Amino acid sequence: MSNSPDGSGLTRVQSYALVVAAAILLSAVLAPVAYDRTTAPDGRVAVISIEGYISSGTVSPVQEDLREARENESIDAVVLNVDSPGGSAAASEQLYLSVQRTAQEMPVVASVKSTGASGAYYAMLPADDIYVTPASIVGSVGVRGAAPGPSLPGEIKSGPDKASATADQRRAQIETLQRAFVGTVMKHRGDVLELSRTEVAHAKVYTGARAVDNGMADEIGSTPEAIRQAASAAGLEDYEVVRKEPPRTGGLILLQAQNGDTIVVEKSPTGYDAVDTPTFLMVYGEVQTENEVIGNVSA
Amino acid sequence: MSAPKSRLAAVFVVIVAAIVGGAAVAPYALGSDTDAGTDPVSVENQQFQPGTILPDETPEEGEISMESDASSKTIVVDVGHQNGITETQLEPLLSTLVENGHQIRFYRGQRRSLNESLRSADALLVASPRERYTSDELAGVEAFTDAGGRVLVMGDPPSVQVSGGILFGLGGLQPTAPRTTALGSTYGVAYGSGYLYNMETNDNNFKSIYARPTADTELTAGVDRVVMREAVPLRTAGATPVFVGTDGTHLSTTRDPGEYAVLARSGNVTAVGDTDFVTRENAYDADNDVLVGNLADFLVDGEKRPGAPTPPGADQPQRPPTGGNGDVPTPPPTPVPESA
């Protein structure tokens, strides 16, 4: 269509010029895409961090990252960068299930930076390989649970077991969780473990070399080796590493240490601030509580 | 080179239709994941099924009863040595004794000496003393058993106690071990260190070990196995082990498996390596009820000569002659029950 006064359209030269201009414009848009295509890596390895105390608050973003890894087609393998002494039993179990789902979709390799004990060890069990360094520790396959303190004077309860449980009941609960935990270790690592079920249930922690020796871990190596292993398991020769650091929010107080490192302090390691709820923990280390029932010798 | 308006309009429509239509078809053609968010991966975990992980919870039933036909015996319960057990915890044993017509007196270490209290008693029950027995008291207890008095000593592993005001950092957590060494050694029983555990066969916790009788005695009558919640091993020289931990029992400090005695008897003295088995919560686990009844019988079955121990002298470690060093024995006082 032309609005030229003589009624004719564009001249031939003008038309060609227009087409060439349009082609260059389009190419300018498409060329970078084509360039990227030819130079793009085969795939991506997502590095997902599991750090600090495992609670329902800290686990959600990690679960979100794992879900994204499963759903994002550009991610072909996952490396779990673990540095945690564990935490709440329920949250550890949730994390385990998320990692297990991911491991069904793609290779998952765990790398223990310094501590991958108790609930954190639980969470990384579905990984194809567990990488440790000589000084990192894994293990502590055990459960502990503290009883809440005596009820307030004048408190009225609707039933004898409301807000409390007998020691017998708590022992049975801890035993149940312990069996699930030990059963899970045997399910995922039974083939390579040199330890018996009972020895696992002792809940020892093992340093890296010992863990590789007895089958609690697979290889000595740090995160780059774990990433290489994950990429190789996914068949990637050329890959990109995507790091996912969960945001530290909710229930955490961040302190700045003198050397610039961040110290993470959980406000209420056992759950709630106002309520002294009996909580089952899969955590390695000292927990100052009264009337604690422990599921094994060393937890 | 102009085009009619209608043709241009048609080209516009075709292009839009092609792009939008292509976008609609593309996911099917390319097979992209359209149900993002539903997370279709399912996992199966047989190790979480109730049948796999739920432990057995044995019903707690039974009755604590006594066989003995002895009557009106007096049992002194030591609560005067900062004992790590309360009267409430001992209640099943004490109630049984009272129900069967016996008298309970508590030695609180206030008005009278232990030896004075023992003079009119038939049996002594000591559980987890955290204060040492003086040499006078040890001599008194020995004279008491020599005269036929029965003594039941119960101990447990060292526990951590809060001392001082921990809130302001003034105090601290200090491990306190029961001071049963001197008392037990008199009768050839020593309380070992650490606690016993069993990872294979236990009552839902590694510390809740089962113990079985070693021989058929009056203490083991009717008992198949008992549960000890936190037992310390007894090392016996002159005493006979009566109950030992079942197979797979280990000692925490050495991790060694072995046949560890948890209840031993030496004549008129019985020593137990646990205090929890007698509490109301545990007294009906396994055959604990029968054992508690047997221990009650043991306490009242002695034939104790009245008046022993005679007043001892502090500088006379051996059994003193009657009369002592001027500490004229008052006529055996009528026991005043401080609590029953």
Side-chain angles (χ1 to χ4, degrees):
Chain A
M1 182 169 121
S2 169
N3 294 323
S4 58
D6 59 356
S8 67
L10 296 172
T11 65
R12 186 172 292 264
V13 173
Q14 281 175 321
S15 298
Y16 276 118
L18 201 64
V19 167
V20 168
I24 290 172
L25 209 64
L26 185 66
S27 304
V29 174
L30 294 180
V33 178
Y35 180 84
D36 279 353
R37 268 289 153 103
T38 48
T39 58
D42 299 342
R44 288 173 168 178
V45 177
V47 178
I48 298 174
S49 292
I50 300 175
E51 287 181 354
Y53 187 87
I54 296 176
S55 67
S56 48
T58 57
V59 141
S60 294
V62 179
Q63 284 185 298
E64 202 55 52
D65 286 342
L66 288 166
R67 187 181 300 121
E68 194 198 322
R70 291 195 294 273
E71 289 169 359
N72 187 339
E73 291 214 329
S74 69
I75 293 177
D76 301 283
V78 166
V79 167
L80 299 174
N81 204 3
V82 182
D83 190 3
S84 163
S88 134
S92 303
E93 222 167 57
Q94 287 300 314
L95 194 51
Y96 161 76
L97 291 169
S98 284
V99 173
Q100 192 184 23
R101 280 198 188 90
T102 311
Q104 286 194 354
E105 294 274 290
M106 62 186 70
V108 174
V109 175
S111 164
V112 181
K113 278 208 292 197
S114 70
T115 309
S118 207
Y121 186 67
Y122 198 172
M124 64 172 134
L125 281 170
D128 303 301
D129 288 295
I130 295 176
Y131 277 70
V132 288
T133 56
S136 54
I137 54 170
V138 294
S140 189
V141 181
V143 189
R144 54 210 288 172
S151 51
L152 297 169
E155 186 188 50
I156 295 172
K157 295 188 284 188
S158 60
D161 292 334
K162 181 68 187 163
S164 66
T166 64
D168 269 346
Q169 289 164 349
R170 287 191 292 124
R171 271 190 289 269
Q173 289 165 343
I174 295 279
E175 177 69 14
T176 308
L177 298 189
Q178 168 74 353
R179 287 184 184 186
F181 193 176
V182 176
T184 307
V185 173
M186 299 316 286
K187 170 183 172 165
H188 290 281
R189 305 205 60 87
D191 294 342
V192 291
L193 267 182
E194 299 283 331
L195 306 172
S196 69
R197 196 185 173 92
T198 306
E199 285 171 312
V200 170
H202 269 71
K204 259 188 201 161
V205 290
Y206 301 96
T207 50
R210 176 64 61 200
V212 171
D213 187 53
N214 65 24
M216 293 290 279
D218 296 292
E219 302 282 348
I220 296 284
S222 59
T223 311
E225 282 80 42
I227 293 171
R228 260 200 298 282
Q229 170 61 23
S232 145
L236 305 176
E237 282 187 11
D238 183 20
Y239 54 88
E240 189 184 342
V241 177
V242 190
R243 290 183 189 276
K244 299 196 174 287
E245 303 286 343
R248 298 190 197 283
T249 52
L252 298 176
I253 306 164
L254 300 181
L255 303 175
Q256 205 69 24
Q258 283 187 338
N259 58 5
D261 288 341
T262 305
I263 302 169
V264 181
V265 183
E266 187 97 11
K267 255 187 195 164
S268 166
T270 51
Y272 308 97
D273 278 342
V275 186
D276 192 7
T277 306
T279 312
F280 299 116
L281 301 178
M282 289 175 178
V283 67
Y284 170 65
E286 291 294 321
V287 179
Q288 302 256 334
T289 51
E290 289 176 16
N291 306 323
E292 188 180 43
V293 173
I294 297 177
N296 37 47
V297 186
S298 325
Chain B
M1 197 181 165
S2 63
K5 282 184 180 176
S6 61
R7 183 179 290 180
L8 283 175
V11 167
F12 179 78
V13 169
V14 167
I15 290 172
V16 169
I19 292 172
V20 175
V25 173
Y28 297 102
L30 299 174
S32 77
D33 191 6
T34 53
D35 52 357
T38 55
D39 212 0
V41 187
S42 65
V43 288
E44 198 173 311
N45 282 308
Q46 187 57 40
Q47 82 275 20
F48 290 165
Q49 296 305 312
T52 315
I53 58 173
L54 283 182
D56 294 330
E57 288 183 75
T58 46
E60 295 187 10
E61 50 197 19
E63 197 181 335
I64 303 173
S65 58
M66 290 178 69
E67 301 293 323
S68 172
D69 50 9
S71 62
S72 301
K73 295 290 179 86
T74 301
I75 296 100
V76 170
V77 179
D78 177 18
V79 288
H81 289 88
Q82 295 185 11
N83 301 67
I85 193 164
T86 62
E87 296 162 26
T88 317
Q89 287 169 298
L90 292 169
E91 182 269 329
L93 177 58
L94 304 187
S95 298
T96 307
L97 288 164
V98 171
E99 277 166 13
N100 285 272
H102 305 287
Q103 200 182 34
I104 305 292
R105 278 195 284 128
F106 289 98
Y107 166 71
R108 298 181 197 280
Q110 291 165 349
R111 281 181 293 177
R112 294 195 293 173
S113 72
L114 178 68
N115 293 354
E116 271 181 279
S117 295
L118 288 180
R119 234 160 267 159
S120 55
D122 298 291
L124 169 66
L125 170 57
V126 184
S128 285
R130 308 228 178 266
E131 196 178 87
R132 270 188 319 111
Y133 267 57
T134 63
S135 51
D136 265 2
E137 288 172 335
L138 288 172
V141 173
E142 194 175 357
F144 177 74
T145 52
D146 284 351
R150 293 282 170 96
V151 174
L152 173 59
V153 185
M154 301 200 286
D156 47 16
S159 61
V160 174
Q161 284 197 333
V162 178
S163 65
I166 193 168
L167 204 62
F168 303 104
L170 298 173
L173 295 168
Q174 287 184 341
T176 54
R179 303 298 187 106
T180 37
T181 313
L183 197 57
S185 65
T186 315
Y187 304 99
V189 177
Y191 280 75
S193 59
Y195 59 84
L196 297 176
Y197 70 88
N198 192 331
M199 297 292 288
E200 308 283 350
T201 315
N202 57 46
D203 190 31
N204 288 342
N205 192 261
F206 66 106
K207 281 186 181 178
S208 296
I209 63 159
Y210 288 113
R212 61 173 174 80
T214 52
D216 203 7
T217 67
E218 57 193 57
L219 281 172
T220 62
V223 181
D224 179 32
R225 62 177 186 178
V226 293
V227 176
M228 302 269 167
R229 292 295 174 200
E230 195 170 11
V232 62
L234 302 177
R235 296 177 190 278
T236 54
T240 316
V242 180
F243 282 90
V244 294
T246 52
D247 285 353
T249 301
H250 291 63
L251 177 60
S252 66
T253 43
T254 61
R255 304 291 164 101
D256 285 338
E259 198 170 76
Y260 294 100
V262 293
L263 194 149
R265 181 172 177 180
S266 168
N268 285 327
V269 178
T270 294
V272 195
D274 183 47
T275 52
D276 295 324
F277 76 99
V278 80
T279 62
R280 180 58 67 180
E281 190 171 3
N282 300 315
Y284 298 95
D285 286 317
D287 294 329
N288 285 14
D289 51 330
V290 186
L291 177 60
V292 172
N294 290 352
L295 287 171
D297 285 332
F298 163 80
L299 284 172
V300 301
D301 273 346
E303 293 297 332
K304 191 222 160 201
R305 290 195 308 274
T310 48
D315 52 349
Q316 291 171 283
Q318 299 305 315
R319 219 172 307 143
T322 312
N325 56 354
D327 182 6
V328 181
T330 49
T334 311
V336 182
E338 295 172 23
S339 175

